[in-house]
Amino acid sequence: MTALVVVGAQWGDEGKGKVVDLLTAEADEVVRFGGGANAGHTLVVGGEKVVFHLVPSAALHSRPRCLLGAGMVIDPKVLAKELEVMSARGLLPEGRMVISENAHLVLPQHFLVDGIREAGPNPIGTTKRGIGPCYQDRAARRGLRAGDLRDPDGFRAKLADNLEGWRPVIEAAGAEMPDPEAIAAEYLALAAPIVPWLGDVGDELHRAREAGRRIVLEGAQGTMLDIDHGTYPFVTSSSVTAGGACTGSGLAPTHIDAVIGISKAYTTRVGEGPFPTELHGEQGEALRRAGGEYGATTGRPRRCGWLDLPVLRHAARVNGLTSIALTKLDVLSGQETLEVCVAYELDGVRRDTPPAIGLERVKPIYETVPGWSGDITGARSLDELPAAARDYVRMIEEAVSVPVSILSVGADRAETITLGDPWA
Ligand code: GDP
Ligand code: IMO
Ligand code: MG
C-alpha cells in the first residue's frame, strides 16, 4: 500500500490537518492537490497550535517531503511566509519541498474580483482569498503559473494580457485597474524563496511510488464544497474529492490504494448555502462554543448542526471511502441525548442520500440517541470510552457501511484512538 488520499467528508474543517499530521508518521511524501489559502489546516502538537494554508500538514515533521500539486492555486505571499516558518524551525533542508511549476498563482486581480463579486447581490460567502477568479483564469487558459516566476519578462507579458481580460469586470464595478508594474515588482520580488523548489510533482510522485515510498495526498475543503459534487453554486471552484487527488497531483487513479474521509462527530459549514441539520439559536451557539468553531482562515463563526448521515453516505460514494476518521467526539460530551439525521424527506419521499439539486428543500429525519458525559480526551482505546460514545461510532459505521479507522478525542496529536489501519 503506497498511496492514501485524505478528503473532507462534509463542508470542510473536519480536522484534516490533525489527521494528516498523524498519518505523516508513516509517510514519505505528503502532497496537497487542490485549493489554495482558502484552506486552514490546524495542527496541535504538545499544546502548540500552528495553522497552515498552503504547505502540507506534514510540515512540522522533519522527514517526509512536502509537495504542492498542479491542481493548487498558490498565493506567493502566503507561501513565502509559510516557507519562512519552516525554515526558521530548521525544517527546510535541501530536497524537502517540491512546488509544481503548473500550479496557478493567485494575484491581486483575483482578490479584487473575489471582493467585487462578494459585494454583489448573490454572495457565496467565500474566504475572499481570490480562489474563484484564479481557477476561472486557469479554465480560460490565461492564468499565470508558478513556473512563470522563473522568467520576469514572460511574467510581465502574461500579466498584462491577464489584466486586460479582467478589465471589463473591474471597470464595470467602478474599481481601479491594478497597476501591472506594481504587481510585477511586488510578486517577482517574492520569487527567490519559491523558485528553487519548483519541479514536476507528478513525475516526482511516480518515481516515489516506484521506489515503494508511501504517499499521502492531502485534500482541502470537503466533499459538499466540491465544484461538481457539492452544493453548487455554494461551493469552492475546484475538485476537492478523491478524483481531484489524481488530477491535482498527477498520480494515476490505478495507483491510489486507500481513501480516508474525515468527518466531525457533528456538522459545520462556513459561508452561504444549504445545511439541512443546522441548529439555530442557543443549541447551535453551545456547539460552536464547545467545539471552538471559528474559521482557521477567516475567523468567521462556523454554522453548527447535528451529524448528517446522508452527507456521509454521499461522501463515501463519491470518494470511494475505505475508512473514516471521526473527529471532535469529545465536543459532544455532556449532552443527555443527541439527534442524528438518518435520512431526508423530499416532496413526501424518504431518501438516504442528498438530492443532486434541491438540498435546501429537504427535511431532515432525526433519530434520538443517548448521549454521554465526562471528559473523554484522555481515552486511548475504545474501552475507555462511555458505552454511548462507542455506540455512536458503531452507528455511523453501520449507517455509512465504512469502518472508522481513526477516532479523534481532542485537538492534540496525542488525543487519538486508532481502531484500524487507514492504509489498508
Ligand atoms: P481542517 O481544515 O480540516 O484541517 O480543520 P481545521 O483546522 O480548520 O478545524 C478543525 C479544528 O478542530 C482545529 O481547531 C483543530 O485543532 C480542532 N480539532 C481537530 N480534531 C479535534 C478533536 O478531536 N477534538 C477537538 N476538540 N478539536 C479537534
Ligand atoms: P479547509 O481546507 C471550510 C468555503 C467558503 C465558501 C466556499 C467558497 O480548511 O477545510 P472560496 O474562498 O473557496 O471561493 O469559498 O467554500 N470554504 C471552506 N470552508 N473550510 C475550507 O477549507 C474552505 N475553503 C473554502 O467558506 O463557503
Ligand atoms: Mg480548515
Side-chain angles (χ1 to χ4, degrees):
M1 291 295 180
T2 55
L4 169 63
V5 175
V6 178
V7 288
Q10 300 168 311
W11 276 279
D13 302 328
E14 298 92 346
K16 297 175 293 292
K18 166 170 174 170
V19 173
V20 168
D21 172 61
L22 269 177
L23 293 168
T24 294
E26 296 166 0
D28 303 299
E29 317 275 338
V30 181
V31 55
R32 269 278 304 266
F33 58 78
N38 48 350
H41 295 182
T42 313
L43 322 183
V44 182
V45 185
E48 189 201 3
K49 177 172 151 177
V50 180
V51 179
F52 288 119
H53 301 284
L54 289 173
V55 301
S57 302
L60 293 185
H61 289 255
S62 56
R63 206 179 51 89
R65 270 203 311 184
C66 292
L67 303 94
L68 274 61
M72 290 190 70
V73 289
I74 294 176
D75 176 342
K77 284 189 183 173
V78 175
L79 180 58
K81 248 191 230 147
E82 294 190 349
L83 292 175
E84 222 174 272
V85 169
M86 289 173 70
S87 173
R89 292 171 179 242
L91 295 171
L92 208 48
E94 211 180 323
R96 178 77 211 278
M97 188 110 200
V98 187
I99 299 168
S100 172
E101 304 162 300
N102 292 353
H104 280 250
L105 296 177
V106 181
L107 297 169
Q109 60 271 37
H110 301 128
F111 283 87
L112 178 61
V113 174
D114 201 354
I116 289 172
R117 293 202 178 131
E118 284 296 294
N122 299 304
I124 304 288
T126 73
T127 60
K128 297 201 190 149
R129 296 298 186 270
I131 304 299
C134 185
Y135 277 119
Q136 207 178 327
D137 270 343
R138 179 178 78 157
R141 295 162 295 190
R142 64 176 194 204
L144 279 86
R145 302 193 289 176
D148 292 321
L149 289 171
R150 281 205 189 99
D151 166 20
D153 291 340
F155 184 96
R156 285 196 176 85
K158 286 179 187 173
L159 178 65
D161 262 2
N162 179 276
L163 285 172
E164 283 314 307
W166 286 115
R167 182 183 287 280
V169 177
I170 294 170
E171 288 187 345
E176 199 178 318
M177 275 296 284
D179 171 12
E181 259 321 301
I183 297 178
E186 184 178 10
Y187 282 78
L188 288 168
L190 291 167
I194 297 172
V195 165
W197 304 111
L198 292 175
D200 182 338
V201 165
D203 186 58
E204 293 289 344
L205 290 175
H206 282 286
R207 286 168 197 275
R209 189 186 156 271
E210 275 165 13
R213 290 166 66 85
R214 289 187 143 203
I215 302 166
V216 170
L217 299 105
E218 176 180 358
Q221 290 80 52
T223 301
M224 298 304 279
L225 291 171
D226 185 271
I227 181 88
D228 296 304
H229 307 289
T231 50
Y232 191 90
F234 301 102
V235 294
T236 191
S237 299
S238 60
S239 295
V240 311
T241 41
C246 295
T247 55
S249 71
L251 202 63
T254 45
H255 294 159
I256 303 294
D257 302 294
V259 183
I260 183 168
I262 320 301
S263 171
K264 282 178 189 169
Y266 50 96
T267 311
T268 65
R269 167 165 209 171
V270 196
E272 304 300 320
F275 178 178
T277 63
E278 182 169 15
L279 286 168
H280 300 278
E282 180 43 36
Q283 266 185 311
E285 186 52 46
L287 207 45
R288 184 174 308 122
R289 251 195 325 271
E293 296 295 355
Y294 295 87
T297 296
T298 58
R300 289 180 288 176
R302 295 174 180 150
R303 299 158 64 189
C304 297
W306 297 120
L307 186 66
D308 185 328
L309 293 173
V311 161
L312 292 192
R313 289 191 194 101
H314 176 63
R317 298 207 297 205
V318 172
N319 297 294
L321 298 185
T322 52
S323 76
I324 288 172
L326 189 69
T327 63
K328 305 195 99 161
L329 191 65
D330 54 300
V331 174
L332 291 183
S333 282
Q335 309 216 38
E336 215 158 287
T337 56
L338 301 165
E339 304 294 311
V340 179
C341 170
V342 294
Y344 302 137
E345 189 195 306
L346 181 62
D347 301 329
V349 178
R350 184 183 168 111
R351 16 181 338 135
D352 60 8
T353 54
I357 291 180
L359 191 65
E360 64 289 346
R361 292 193 299 117
V362 304
K363 282 201 207 93
I365 300 172
Y366 288 111
E367 267 178 26
T368 306
V369 299
W372 60 90
S373 59
D375 180 2
I376 61 167
T377 56
R380 294 293 174 269
S381 73
L382 214 48
D383 347 319
E384 293 170 60
L385 288 179
R390 284 199 299 269
D391 290 346
Y392 192 78
V393 176
R394 294 302 176 216
M395 180 256 320
I396 295 169
E397 290 181 314
E398 265 172 43
V400 185
S401 302
V402 177
V404 172
S405 58
I406 294 174
L407 194 53
S408 176
V409 291
D412 201 279
R413 191 189 274 174
E415 289 166 337
T416 306
I417 299 173
T418 307
L419 298 178
D421 179 4
W423 294 85

